């Protein structure tokens, strides 16, 4: 995690192709931010300043847009991003118990990342898999019909996989 | 006889394991002549993963709850044509009735065609309506709008505004530069029909949008999709590429003078962007805050140009209406609500999935007839319609007819079609709080009523579920609801009080139990209001509860009845869950 400390300078050249394509198109700020987050994993402050400069707007405007949308993060996330759904169907089917089990198991709060940088937990609104509720996604994989035990077993499985590497 | 296998791979199916089933089948079928393909979501989510076997183009067997271990048996049956070996995997007659009772228009191809194949879409009649509009005798834009007017199609995103009227207004607006926008920012928790349409039949959406663009005179179409729907975005962009290559999108579509470019814009997570002017702000790269109306988007929308915005399901009906005529669509439904509507049936329901039915059916017919009623043998308590903008309809109103007006009369709304069933273990106060938590978080902050009003309402509800509520809180809550409803700028704020108002209207005694002196939660859901007791008669002294109690509040010797120290108890419920003798009771 050393290279992600607040003082570290991001490699802005990675963003050059994105800016070359989208900066001239009006209304593309959100698209640029999405690409930037794909590249850096989150939106570091120096990247936000760079985007403002390159798109001819103010850092305040860029920050205002970025903070409006829940998709954007301003801190690095763990290798596995857990998105636990708390939509209506998941809620009535017990997502709160799943959240509690994950919090206790990983010792993190909503929005937090484990000390080893492996897991981050985000409780999100509907993921649209309501009929499999309660649901969570870990990176690109979805897991449905969760119970507290099943959720913990999934996380343990991922941790074991990491330990084996 | 040739057998074709189709694996349902919508997001739900994949989450249930369909991709693994597909991989296992692929391995088993290697080198055989049996073709294996992907289809989208048939909407029978509780049976996922689903594998369909087609003989020529007839469905020969629908296999449900398939796991990768079944692949060998299925492959064998497909190779030999002898289906007796997989009889045990076939859908039951009772479950089949889920589909048989539906009338599918918007979902007509979902789960049947390959969403990644233009050829498959065209074989199912895709783009025939567009051809009818643009080529041969053709239809003028005015004729298209007239046909939609006859159909009575209304906005399926929730507002229920007549589609023809919006199209006509955008058409009449002066200017050459016009935009057609599809709202696929399906943010209502509990609704997923738009995701299913895009993932399962993206060409129907494209075709509906092209016809709409032609009708209003737009040369550019944009689909604003939720970022949380990555698979939908992938399939839609593939479909756009294929349609472009086939001359169905771009310049001189089908060799005519009509040209229209397509673009996808991924949203970034903000519920308020479902409001059309907020969506436009977001498309322009701004914070998604609603604009004051008028001017309406039809006059000054995207980049201040005439724009028309419709929801995915609305567009998914358009091609069918053009092909079958507006009268055929209008023949279904009620006096004020025409055609069909898709509902996402979820929650404590036996059969959960997508249901498309003609307007005019009752809630009871959908929930009990099609959905099979409440699961686990519990009691039906309420159904939540319309998500955070809607409300809860209680059991005594189950015979309410599905119609925009009739549903609004209950205090709920048709909304985008989320239907979340709740049983007697659901606390209506905490449900009201759940929705308020959502809208308070999603309020964009532009107007005072929504920004501060929802926050204050949330605080009152918080107080009530934590056992600090006072009887007079209920009147204050109601007063705030009415003020927010009347004072908020956009639909999000104006409808945010609905879940609370309907809960108060139909379940007031439950609120009163929470705020009365003894502070009780009748559904046993609000942890802070519960008290746990051990029944000395039933307790065997197994010590299971005492060992589970995180604060050591349970005392007792082995094989002797235990007791809970109420002053130490943190009401976590661990003892209740641990007891195997039903000796721990919640009050």
């Amino acid at each position: 995690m050393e290279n992600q400390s607040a003082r570290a300078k991001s490699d802005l050249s990675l963003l050059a192709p994105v800016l070359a394509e989208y900066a001239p198109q009006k209304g593309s700020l959100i698209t640029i931010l999405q690409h930037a987050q794909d590249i850096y994993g989150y939106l570091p402050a120096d990247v936000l300043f760079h985007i403002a400069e390159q798109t001819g707007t103010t850092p305040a405007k860029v920050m205002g847009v970025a903070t409006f949308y829940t998709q954007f993060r301003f801190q690095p996330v763990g290798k596995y991003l857990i998105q636990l759904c708390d939509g209506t169907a998941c809620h009535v089917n017990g997502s709160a118990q799943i959240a509690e089990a994950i919090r206790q198991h990983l010792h993190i709060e909503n929005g937090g990342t484990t000390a080893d940088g492996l897991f981050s937990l985000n409780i999100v609104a509907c993921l649209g898999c309501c009929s499999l509720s309660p649901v969570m996604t870990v990176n690109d994989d979805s897991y449905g019909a969760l119970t507290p035990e099943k959720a913990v077993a999934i996380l343990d499985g991922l941790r074991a996989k990491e330990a084996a590497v | 006889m040739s057998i074709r296998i189709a694996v349902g791979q919508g997001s739900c199916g994949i989450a249930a394991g369909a991709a693994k089933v597909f991989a296992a089948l692929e391995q088993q079928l290697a080198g055989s002549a049996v073709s294996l393909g992907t289809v989208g979501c048939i909407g029978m989510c509780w049976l996922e993963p689903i594998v369909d076997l087609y003989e020529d183009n007839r469905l020969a067997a629908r296999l449900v709850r398939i796991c990768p271990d079944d692949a060998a048996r299925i492959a064998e049956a497909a190779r030999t044509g002898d289906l007796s070996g997989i009889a045990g995997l076939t859908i039951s007659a009772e479950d089949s009735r889920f589909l048989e009772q539906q009338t599918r228009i918007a979902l007509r191809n979902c789960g049947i065609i390959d969403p990644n194949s233009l050829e498959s879409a065209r074989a199912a009649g895709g783009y025939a309506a567009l051809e009818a509009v643009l080529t041969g005798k053709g239809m003028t834009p005015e004729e298209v709008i007239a046909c939609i007017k006859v159909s009575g199609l209304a906005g399926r995103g929730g507002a229920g505004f007549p589609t023809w009227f919006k199209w006509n207004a955008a058409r009449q607006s002066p200017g050459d530069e016009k935009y057609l926008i599809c709202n696929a920012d399906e943010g209502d928790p509990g609704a997923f029909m738009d995701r299913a349409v895009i993932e399962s039949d993206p060409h129907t959406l494209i075709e509906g949008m092209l016809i709409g663009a032609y009708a209003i005179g737009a040369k550019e179409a944009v689909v604003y999709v939720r970022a949380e729907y990555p698979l939908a975005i992938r399939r839609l962009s593939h479909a756009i590429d294929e349609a472009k290559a086939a001359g169905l999108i771009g310049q001189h579509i089908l060799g005519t003078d009509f040209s229209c470019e397509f673009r996808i814009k991924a949203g970034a997570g903000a519920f308020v962007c479902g409001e059309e002017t907020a969506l436009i702000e977001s498309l322009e790269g701004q914070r998604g805050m609603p604009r004051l109306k008028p001017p309406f988007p039809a006059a000054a929308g995207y980049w201040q140009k005439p724009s028309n915005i419709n929801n995915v399901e609305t567009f998914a009906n358009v091609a069918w209406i053009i092909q079958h005529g507006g009268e055929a669509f209008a023949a279904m439904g009620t006096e004020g609500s025409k055609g069909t509507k898709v509902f996402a049936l979820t929650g404590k329901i036996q059969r959960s999935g997508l249901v498309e039915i003609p307007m005019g059916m009752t809630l009871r017919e959908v929930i009990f007839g099609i959905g099979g009623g409440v699961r686990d043998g519990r009691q039906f308590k309420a159904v939540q319609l319309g998500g955070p903008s809607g409300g809860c309809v209680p059991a005594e109103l189950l015979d309410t007819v599905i119609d925009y007006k009739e549903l609004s009369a209950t205090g709920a709304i048709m909304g985008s079609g989320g239907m979340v069933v709740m049983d007697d273990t659901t606390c209506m106060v905490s449900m009201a709080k759940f929705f308020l938590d959502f809208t308070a978080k999603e309020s964009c902050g532009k107007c005072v009523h929504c920004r501060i009003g929802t926050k204050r309402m949330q605080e009152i509800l918080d107080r009530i579920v934590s056992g600090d509520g006072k009887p007079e809180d209920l009147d204050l809550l109601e007063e705030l609801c009415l003020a927010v409803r009347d004072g908020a700028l956009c639909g999000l704020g104006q409808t945010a009080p609905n879940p609370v108002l309907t809960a108060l209207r139909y379940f007031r005694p439950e609120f009163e139990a929470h705020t009365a002196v003894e502070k009780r939660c009748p559904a046993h859901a609000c942890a802070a209001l519960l008290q746990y007791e051990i029944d000395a008669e039933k307790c065997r002294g197994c010590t299971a509860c005492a060992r589970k109690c995180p604060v050591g509040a349970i005392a007792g010797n082995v094989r002797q009845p235990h007791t809970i120290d109420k002053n130490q108890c943190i009401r976590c419920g661990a003892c209740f869950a641990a007891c195997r003798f039903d000796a721990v009771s919640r009050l």
Side-chain angles (χ1 to χ4, degrees), chain B residues 265-349:
Chain B
K265 188 97 177 177
F271 176 67
V272 68
C273 290
E275 200 281 338
E276 56 182 8
T277 59
L279 186 150
I280 289 172
E281 285 287 315
S282 182
L283 275 180
E284 294 180 5
Q286 309 285 343
R287 291 163 68 89
M289 293 163 111
R291 297 174 180 169
L292 208 56
K293 292 194 271 194
F296 289 92
Y302 190 33
W303 302 124
Q304 296 300 321
K305 303 291 180 196
S307 309
N308 175 66
I309 303 176
N310 293 122
N311 157 273
V312 175
E313 190 188 331
T314 313
F315 283 123
N317 284 306
V318 168
W320 190 94
I321 292 170
I322 297 289
Q323 274 194 294
H324 296 79
E327 292 83 0
F329 193 79
M332 288 175 283
T334 62
E335 184 62 38
S337 305
K338 300 299 186 191
T340 59
K341 175 80 192 89
V342 184
F343 291 95
L345 194 52
T346 60
K348 308 270 190 177
I349 184 96

Side-chain angles (χ1 to χ4, degrees), chain B residues 447-467:
Chain B
C447 72
V448 176
H449 280 84
C450 179
R451 182 180 69 238
I452 300 174
T454 55
K455 183 78 195 148
R456 294 289 95 86
M457 286 159 69
Q458 190 192 11
E459 284 166 3
I460 297 173
L461 286 163
D462 242 341
R463 210 154 65 214
I464 298 176
V465 299
S466 349

Side-chain angles (χ1 to χ4, degrees), chain B residues 227-560:
Chain B
E228 289 90 336
Y229 288 175
L231 182 66
I233 294 177
R234 272 205 304 279
R235 288 197 178 151
L236 181 60
S237 65
H238 176 79
I240 290 174
D241 289 345
E242 271 197 299
K244 219 177 254 175
L248 295 161
I249 287 177
Q251 298 302 304
H252 301 291
I253 292 170
L254 294 169
T256 66
D257 286 341
F258 173 57
S259 300
C260 185
E261 296 295 343
F262 258 73
R263 203 149 57 80
I264 297 177
K265 188 97 177 177
F271 176 67
V272 68
C273 290
E275 200 281 338
E276 56 182 8
T277 59
L279 186 150
I280 289 172
E281 285 287 315
S282 182
L283 275 180
E284 294 180 5
Q286 309 285 343
R287 291 163 68 89
M289 293 163 111
R291 297 174 180 169
L292 208 56
K293 292 194 271 194
F296 289 92
Y302 190 33
W303 302 124
Q304 296 300 321
K305 303 291 180 196
S307 309
N308 175 66
I309 303 176
N310 293 122
N311 157 273
V312 175
E313 190 188 331
T314 313
F315 283 123
N317 284 306
V318 168
W320 190 94
I321 292 170
I322 297 289
Q323 274 194 294
H324 296 79
E327 292 83 0
F329 193 79
M332 288 175 283
T334 62
E335 184 62 38
S337 305
K338 300 299 186 191
T340 59
K341 175 80 192 89
V342 184
F343 291 95
L345 194 52
T346 60
K348 308 270 190 177
I349 184 96
Q350 291 268 15
R351 304 188 198 114
S352 130
L354 287 177
V355 179
E356 182 170 357
I357 41 117
M359 302 273 193
M361 262 194 177
T362 65
L363 290 171
R364 188 188 304 279
E365 285 170 315
V366 173
I367 295 166
F368 288 85
I370 299 178
V374 180
R375 68 168 188 231
D376 305 331
R378 301 213 70 103
Q379 194 74 36
F380 174 90
K381 183 167 185 177
V383 57
Q384 213 284 339
L385 302 175
S389 308
C392 296
V393 178
E396 58 267 29
L397 293 179
L398 270 174
D399 291 313
T400 304
V401 162
I402 294 172
D403 167 287
Y404 285 101
K405 258 202 191 128
E406 298 282 324
L407 288 180
S408 296
T410 67
I413 57 167
M414 177 90 72
S416 58
M419 222 184 235
V420 185
V421 173
M422 294 160 190
D423 66 14
D424 52 350
T425 63
T426 311
C427 167
M428 301 316 284
V429 183
S430 81
M431 245 4 255
K433 178 175 137 31
F434 167 79
F435 284 113
L436 245 291
D437 285 347
F438 181 85
T439 36
K441 202 170 84 198
E442 294 292 342
S443 171
C444 80
K446 184 165 180 167
C447 72
V448 176
H449 280 84
C450 179
R451 182 180 69 238
I452 300 174
T454 55
K455 183 78 195 148
R456 294 289 95 86
M457 286 159 69
Q458 190 192 11
E459 284 166 3
I460 297 173
L461 286 163
D462 242 341
R463 210 154 65 214
I464 298 176
V465 299
S466 349
D468 299 321
K470 302 180 290 276
E472 57 269 31
D473 277 343
L474 301 186
D475 295 330
L476 181 59
L477 190 59
E478 207 157 6
E479 193 186 325
L480 265 171
C481 281
L482 300 178
V484 172
R485 188 186 70 185
D486 296 341
L489 174 68
C490 82
L492 185 145
Q494 288 156 9
T495 58
N498 281 350
V500 184
L501 282 171
T502 51
L504 274 169
R505 178 162 157 194
Y506 299 118
F507 299 96
R508 198 168 181 109
E510 201 167 334
F511 280 78
E512 285 165 354
H514 282 72
T515 54
V517 185
E518 64 272 23
K519 306 258 188 292
R520 227 166 37 79
C521 173
H524 301 301
C526 296
L529 274 62
L530 295 179
Q531 292 205 354
Y532 291 89
E533 265 180 17
I534 295 175
D535 183 343
E537 298 278 305
K538 287 184 183 167
C539 179
R540 308 273 186 92
C542 75
T543 76
C545 58
R547 281 181 279 126
K548 282 279 182 196
C549 180
V551 292
I554 302 180
N557 295 322
V558 182
R559 296 201 192 83
Q560 298 292 318

Side-chain angles (χ1 to χ4, degrees), chain A residues 25-31 34 61 63-72 83 86-89 91-95 123-133 135 140 142-144, chain B residues 11-12 15-16 45 188-192 195 224 226-227 229 265-270 272-273 282-289 303 346-348 352 375 420 422 426 431 434-435 438 444:
Chain A
Q25 292 179 29
K26 62 175 180 173
S28 297
L29 181 54
I30 294 169
T31 310
Q34 285 168 332
K61 164 83 192 296
M63 199 63 189
V65 170
T67 52
F68 187 84
Y69 296 96
T70 52
Q71 187 187 19
F72 298 120
Q83 301 208 76
D86 191 29
T88 319
H91 187 79
V92 301
N93 280 322
S95 60
I123 296 176
V124 298
C126 194
L127 291 169
C129 293
C130 313
S131 43
L132 294 173
S133 56
V135 177
D140 286 337
S142 309
Y143 302 91
Chain B
S11 287
C12 296
C45 308
D188 267 13
F192 54 94
R195 173 178 66 70
Y224 186 92
R226 271 184 99 191
Y229 288 175
K265 188 97 177 177
V272 68
C273 290
S282 182
L283 275 180
E284 294 180 5
Q286 309 285 343
R287 291 163 68 89
M289 293 163 111
W303 302 124
T346 60
K348 308 270 190 177
S352 130
R375 68 168 188 231
V420 185
M422 294 160 190
T426 311
M431 245 4 255
F434 167 79
F435 284 113
F438 181 85
C444 80

Side-chain angles (χ1 to χ4, degrees), chain A residues 18-154:
Chain A
V18 174
L19 287 166
E21 182 177 354
Y22 292 105
Q25 292 179 29
K26 62 175 180 173
S28 297
L29 181 54
I30 294 169
T31 310
I32 294 171
L33 292 170
Q34 285 168 332
H35 282 283
Q37 183 157 291
D38 282 345
I39 293 170
Y40 303 103
Y42 69 112
L43 295 174
D46 56 344
V47 169
L48 291 170
F49 274 91
H50 182 65
I51 291 171
E53 200 185 290
Q54 297 292 311
T55 54
T57 95
T58 62
K61 164 83 192 296
V62 174
M63 199 63 189
V65 170
T67 52
F68 187 84
Y69 296 96
T70 52
Q71 187 187 19
F72 298 120
R73 303 181 286 263
F74 306 96
Q75 300 290 332
V77 283
K79 182 165 181 189
Y80 295 104
L81 175 62
I82 305 164
Q83 301 208 76
L84 177 68
C85 181
D86 191 29
T88 319
C90 288
H91 187 79
V92 301
N93 280 322
S95 60
Q97 282 93 294
I98 315 286
E100 189 52 34
I102 296 175
R103 274 199 289 259
Q104 287 195 4
H105 188 68
L106 297 179
H107 305 290
I108 49 173
E109 286 304 310
N110 181 22
T113 300
T114 52
D116 59 4
L118 209 51
F119 294 105
S120 293
L121 172 64
N122 264 353
I123 296 176
V124 298
C126 194
L127 291 169
C129 293
C130 313
S131 43
L132 294 173
S133 56
V135 177
M136 70 175 178
T137 61
V138 181
N139 294 349
D140 286 337
D141 293 322
S142 309
Y143 302 91
L146 292 176
T147 60
E149 296 75 28
K150 195 171 156 188
V152 165
I154 289 162

